[in-house]
Amino acid sequence: MLKTRRAVRAYKREPVPENIIEDIVDCGRLAATAVNIQPWEFVVVTDPDALHRIAKATDYGGFIADAPACVVVICRDTKYYLEDGSAATESILLAARAHGLGSCWVAGDKKPYAAEICRLVGAPPGYKLISLIPIGYPAESPEKAKRPLSDVLHWQKY
Ligand SMILES: Cc1cc2nc3c(=O)[nH]c(=O)nc-3n(C[C@H](O)[C@H](O)[C@H](O)COP(=O)(O)O)c2cc1C
């Protein structure tokens, strides 16, 4: 299952039950985090107008508008906020896959629209946007070429 995760950017209209979204976010909550600080908050957006506004603010996240839900991962500005928030994001992607759902990591930190998204979801001052994660039942099964294990795995030394 872990190996079959792929970025899915087209979703069926069918809503995702709340208890499934809660379980997916719960997996983010339990991600590895430096010194167990857990600087994250997860804002789940399902309101279609809000989803449109979020999608419109991004550069490569227009498809968020057509997702039944989007998890917005924000973090307090701690030393390892980006690593922590990224660990939580990956756990959410994998949990979505385990539930038979499609999702896609949409940036995030470093994007000029980060402050606008934080404002749209009511993040407290000083919070950082880590990722936007649209989630829905997949309407596509994308394939991606991946570097082979023999290229990237190095025993003892590079
Ligand atoms: C930090 C980060 C930012 C990303 N931002 C976007 C984005 O803004 N829009 C998008 O469509 N995909 C985004 N992606 C998804 C990547 O394009 C995708 O993971 C990559 O093409 C590999 O495909 P795969 O996830 O199917 O293996 C992002 C992924 C990461 C890790």
Side-chain angles (χ1 to χ4, degrees):
M1 185 57 75
L2 299 187
K3 291 181 177 178
T4 63
R5 183 218 55 82
R6 292 293 176 276
V8 172
R9 299 180 177 87
Y11 316 99
K12 295 181 180 159
R13 287 197 172 276
E14 198 180 331
V16 181
E18 222 171 274
N19 64 313
I20 292 184
I21 293 186
E22 276 182 12
D23 185 62
I24 289 169
V25 170
D26 207 25
C27 292
R29 176 182 71 86
L30 295 168
T33 162
V35 210
N36 199 26
I37 283 188
Q38 308 167 66
W40 41 56
E41 305 290 334
F42 307 96
V43 183
V44 178
V45 180
T46 57
D47 174 67
D49 287 341
L51 288 166
H52 267 96
R53 277 194 291 275
I54 288 171
K56 214 169 151 218
T58 68
D59 46 11
Y60 297 106
F63 51 92
I64 291 171
D66 301 318
C70 180
V71 181
V72 181
V73 183
I74 55 174
C75 278
R76 275 191 292 119
D77 189 5
T78 57
K79 184 172 180 187
Y80 294 109
Y81 78 88
L82 188 52
E83 292 88 340
D84 290 353
S86 296
T89 298
E90 184 67 11
S91 290
I92 287 172
L93 298 179
L94 293 172
R97 175 67 190 136
H99 278 286
L101 290 155
S103 67
C104 179
W105 183 328
V106 175
D109 189 67
K110 302 186 181 70
K111 287 286 190 180
Y113 57 72
E116 169 70 357
I117 302 287
C118 283
R119 192 188 63 75
L120 286 171
V121 300
Y127 270 70
K128 302 280 200 176
L129 175 68
I130 306 300
S131 59
L132 302 148
I133 315 173
I135 292 176
Y137 291 98
E140 62 173 8
S141 306
E143 267 312 316
K144 266 281 159 75
K146 294 292 178 185
R147 295 170 64 198
L149 184 63
S150 56
D151 269 19
V152 298
L153 171 61
H154 313 279
W155 290 98
Q156 320 309 345
K157 274 190 177 182
Y158 185 91

mmCIF file of all heavy atoms in Angstrom, residues 70-92:
data_model
loop_
_atom_site.group_PDB
_atom_site.id
_atom_site.type_symbol
_atom_site.label_atom_id
_atom_site.label_comp_id
_atom_site.label_asym_id
_atom_site.label_seq_id
_atom_site.Cartn_x
_atom_site.Cartn_y
_atom_site.Cartn_z
ATOM 1 N N CYS A 70 -10.188 19.476 1.761
ATOM 2 C CA CYS A 70 -8.766 19.816 1.701
ATOM 3 C C CYS A 70 -8.260 20.004 3.126
ATOM 4 O O CYS A 70 -8.857 20.754 3.913
ATOM 5 C CB CYS A 70 -8.569 21.101 0.888
ATOM 6 S SG CYS A 70 -6.831 21.599 0.745
ATOM 7 N N VAL A 71 -7.187 19.287 3.451
ATOM 8 C CA VAL A 71 -6.557 19.459 4.764
ATOM 9 C C VAL A 71 -5.439 20.487 4.604
ATOM 10 O O VAL A 71 -4.534 20.300 3.785
ATOM 11 C CB VAL A 71 -5.971 18.131 5.295
ATOM 12 C CG1 VAL A 71 -5.348 18.346 6.683
ATOM 13 C CG2 VAL A 71 -7.035 17.035 5.339
ATOM 14 N N VAL A 72 -5.535 21.550 5.362
ATOM 15 C CA VAL A 72 -4.498 22.593 5.324
ATOM 16 C C VAL A 72 -3.618 22.396 6.558
ATOM 17 O O VAL A 72 -4.102 22.460 7.692
ATOM 18 C CB VAL A 72 -5.133 24.000 5.317
ATOM 19 C CG1 VAL A 72 -4.043 25.073 5.242
ATOM 20 C CG2 VAL A 72 -6.107 24.133 4.145
ATOM 21 N N VAL A 73 -2.335 22.114 6.307
ATOM 22 C CA VAL A 73 -1.402 21.857 7.409
ATOM 23 C C VAL A 73 -0.631 23.144 7.692
ATOM 24 O O VAL A 73 0.048 23.682 6.814
ATOM 25 C CB VAL A 73 -0.421 20.717 7.057
ATOM 26 C CG1 VAL A 73 0.494 20.422 8.244
ATOM 27 C CG2 VAL A 73 -1.190 19.454 6.646
ATOM 28 N N ILE A 74 -0.771 23.634 8.915
ATOM 29 C CA ILE A 74 -0.032 24.830 9.336
ATOM 30 C C ILE A 74 0.759 24.485 10.593
ATOM 31 O O ILE A 74 0.399 23.557 11.324
ATOM 32 C CB ILE A 74 -0.977 26.029 9.601
ATOM 33 C CG1 ILE A 74 -2.057 25.666 10.629
ATOM 34 C CG2 ILE A 74 -1.600 26.520 8.317
ATOM 35 C CD1 ILE A 74 -2.926 26.843 11.049
ATOM 36 N N CYS A 75 1.844 25.208 10.793
ATOM 37 C CA CYS A 75 2.699 24.944 11.964
ATOM 38 C C CYS A 75 3.115 26.235 12.632
ATOM 39 O O CYS A 75 3.335 27.245 11.957
ATOM 40 C CB CYS A 75 3.980 24.211 11.538
ATOM 41 S SG CYS A 75 3.792 22.439 11.322
ATOM 42 N N ARG A 76 3.283 26.162 13.942
ATOM 43 C CA ARG A 76 3.933 27.254 14.668
ATOM 44 C C ARG A 76 5.362 27.364 14.145
ATOM 45 O O ARG A 76 5.948 26.375 13.697
ATOM 46 C CB ARG A 76 3.974 26.941 16.164
ATOM 47 C CG ARG A 76 2.712 27.330 16.889
ATOM 48 C CD ARG A 76 2.913 27.250 18.404
ATOM 49 N NE ARG A 76 3.077 25.888 18.862
ATOM 50 C CZ ARG A 76 4.178 25.421 19.479
ATOM 51 N NH1 ARG A 76 5.222 26.200 19.692
ATOM 52 N NH2 ARG A 76 4.233 24.159 19.869
ATOM 53 N N ASP A 77 5.945 28.551 14.244
ATOM 54 C CA ASP A 77 7.266 28.801 13.680
ATOM 55 C C ASP A 77 8.362 28.303 14.629
ATOM 56 O O ASP A 77 9.064 29.096 15.243
ATOM 57 C CB ASP A 77 7.413 30.310 13.402
ATOM 58 C CG ASP A 77 8.669 30.611 12.606
ATOM 59 O OD1 ASP A 77 9.372 29.656 12.196
ATOM 60 O OD2 ASP A 77 8.948 31.803 12.402
ATOM 61 N N THR A 78 8.517 26.995 14.720
ATOM 62 C CA THR A 78 9.531 26.389 15.587
ATOM 63 C C THR A 78 10.771 26.059 14.747
ATOM 64 O O THR A 78 10.747 26.162 13.521
ATOM 65 C CB THR A 78 8.979 25.095 16.218
ATOM 66 O OG1 THR A 78 8.579 24.219 15.146
ATOM 67 C CG2 THR A 78 7.770 25.371 17.087
ATOM 68 N N LYS A 79 11.838 25.633 15.405
ATOM 69 C CA LYS A 79 13.086 25.344 14.686
ATOM 70 C C LYS A 79 12.886 24.325 13.560
ATOM 71 O O LYS A 79 13.430 24.447 12.470
ATOM 72 C CB LYS A 79 14.125 24.840 15.677
ATOM 73 C CG LYS A 79 15.488 24.602 15.057
ATOM 74 C CD LYS A 79 16.534 24.282 16.101
ATOM 75 C CE LYS A 79 17.890 24.046 15.460
ATOM 76 N NZ LYS A 79 18.868 23.564 16.438
ATOM 77 N N TYR A 80 12.100 23.286 13.837
ATOM 78 C CA TYR A 80 11.926 22.206 12.860
ATOM 79 C C TYR A 80 10.508 22.158 12.282
ATOM 80 O O TYR A 80 10.007 21.094 11.942
ATOM 81 C CB TYR A 80 12.273 20.858 13.498
ATOM 82 C CG TYR A 80 13.736 20.734 13.863
ATOM 83 C CD1 TYR A 80 14.148 20.754 15.198
ATOM 84 C CD2 TYR A 80 14.719 20.618 12.887
ATOM 85 C CE1 TYR A 80 15.491 20.655 15.534
ATOM 86 C CE2 TYR A 80 16.066 20.530 13.216
ATOM 87 C CZ TYR A 80 16.449 20.549 14.536
ATOM 88 O OH TYR A 80 17.778 20.462 14.872
ATOM 89 N N TYR A 81 9.892 23.352 12.174
ATOM 90 C CA TYR A 81 8.492 23.349 11.726
ATOM 91 C C TYR A 81 8.321 22.690 10.358
ATOM 92 O O TYR A 81 7.342 21.983 10.108
ATOM 93 C CB TYR A 81 7.932 24.780 11.695
ATOM 94 C CG TYR A 81 8.358 25.593 10.495
ATOM 95 C CD1 TYR A 81 7.628 25.568 9.311
ATOM 96 C CD2 TYR A 81 9.507 26.364 10.533
ATOM 97 C CE1 TYR A 81 8.029 26.293 8.208
ATOM 98 C CE2 TYR A 81 9.921 27.097 9.439
ATOM 99 C CZ TYR A 81 9.179 27.059 8.279
ATOM 100 O OH TYR A 81 9.582 27.776 7.179
ATOM 101 N N LEU A 82 9.302 22.902 9.470
ATOM 102 C CA LEU A 82 9.130 22.396 8.104
ATOM 103 C C LEU A 82 9.268 20.869 8.056
ATOM 104 O O LEU A 82 8.488 20.186 7.380
ATOM 105 C CB LEU A 82 10.144 23.064 7.167
ATOM 106 C CG LEU A 82 9.966 22.785 5.683
ATOM 107 C CD1 LEU A 82 8.532 23.059 5.210
ATOM 108 C CD2 LEU A 82 10.938 23.631 4.862
ATOM 109 N N GLU A 83 10.249 20.354 8.786
ATOM 110 C CA GLU A 83 10.405 18.891 8.856
ATOM 111 C C GLU A 83 9.183 18.258 9.517
ATOM 112 O O GLU A 83 8.644 17.249 9.044
ATOM 113 C CB GLU A 83 11.667 18.518 9.642
ATOM 114 C CG GLU A 83 12.978 18.885 8.945
ATOM 115 C CD GLU A 83 13.469 20.299 9.236
ATOM 116 O OE1 GLU A 83 12.660 21.150 9.653
ATOM 117 O OE2 GLU A 83 14.673 20.557 9.036
ATOM 118 N N ASP A 84 8.755 18.839 10.644
ATOM 119 C CA ASP A 84 7.607 18.291 11.368
ATOM 120 C C ASP A 84 6.343 18.316 10.500
ATOM 121 O O ASP A 84 5.620 17.330 10.383
ATOM 122 C CB ASP A 84 7.347 19.098 12.653
ATOM 123 C CG ASP A 84 8.427 18.893 13.705
ATOM 124 O OD1 ASP A 84 9.307 18.041 13.505
ATOM 125 O OD2 ASP A 84 8.385 19.593 14.734
ATOM 126 N N GLY A 85 6.103 19.468 9.903
ATOM 127 C CA GLY A 85 4.906 19.606 9.075
ATOM 128 C C GLY A 85 4.949 18.704 7.852
ATOM 129 O O GLY A 85 3.926 18.184 7.406
ATOM 130 N N SER A 86 6.155 18.490 7.317
ATOM 131 C CA SER A 86 6.291 17.606 6.153
ATOM 132 C C SER A 86 6.059 16.158 6.544
ATOM 133 O O SER A 86 5.443 15.391 5.788
ATOM 134 C CB SER A 86 7.688 17.772 5.531
ATOM 135 O OG SER A 86 7.843 19.086 5.036
ATOM 136 N N ALA A 87 6.540 15.768 7.727
ATOM 137 C CA ALA A 87 6.299 14.397 8.209
ATOM 138 C C ALA A 87 4.794 14.170 8.365
ATOM 139 O O ALA A 87 4.255 13.127 7.950
ATOM 140 C CB ALA A 87 7.022 14.177 9.534
ATOM 141 N N ALA A 88 4.108 15.155 8.928
ATOM 142 C CA ALA A 88 2.654 15.028 9.107
ATOM 143 C C ALA A 88 1.956 14.957 7.752
ATOM 144 O O ALA A 88 1.013 14.175 7.554
ATOM 145 C CB ALA A 88 2.125 16.209 9.917
ATOM 146 N N THR A 89 2.441 15.763 6.807
ATOM 147 C CA THR A 89 1.840 15.768 5.469
ATOM 148 C C THR A 89 1.963 14.398 4.808
ATOM 149 O O THR A 89 0.989 13.861 4.257
ATOM 150 C CB THR A 89 2.507 16.852 4.591
ATOM 151 O OG1 THR A 89 2.279 18.133 5.191
ATOM 152 C CG2 THR A 89 1.947 16.847 3.180
ATOM 153 N N GLU A 90 3.150 13.811 4.867
ATOM 154 C CA GLU A 90 3.344 12.504 4.228
ATOM 155 C C GLU A 90 2.467 11.436 4.897
ATOM 156 O O GLU A 90 1.897 10.578 4.212
ATOM 157 C CB GLU A 90 4.825 12.103 4.278
ATOM 158 C CG GLU A 90 5.162 10.800 3.553
ATOM 159 C CD GLU A 90 4.985 10.862 2.032
ATOM 160 O OE1 GLU A 90 4.803 11.953 1.478
ATOM 161 O OE2 GLU A 90 5.019 9.790 1.387
ATOM 162 N N SER A 91 2.347 11.507 6.222
ATOM 163 C CA SER A 91 1.481 10.533 6.914
ATOM 164 C C SER A 91 0.036 10.674 6.430
ATOM 165 O O SER A 91 -0.679 9.684 6.261
ATOM 166 C CB SER A 91 1.532 10.743 8.427
ATOM 167 O OG SER A 91 2.787 10.368 8.920
ATOM 168 N N ILE A 92 -0.387 11.916 6.209
ATOM 169 C CA ILE A 92 -1.755 12.148 5.734
ATOM 170 C C ILE A 92 -1.943 11.587 4.323
ATOM 171 O O ILE A 92 -2.946 10.945 4.018
ATOM 172 C CB ILE A 92 -2.085 13.656 5.809
ATOM 173 C CG1 ILE A 92 -2.277 14.047 7.284
ATOM 174 C CG2 ILE A 92 -3.316 14.009 4.983
ATOM 175 C CD1 ILE A 92 -2.417 15.536 7.529
#
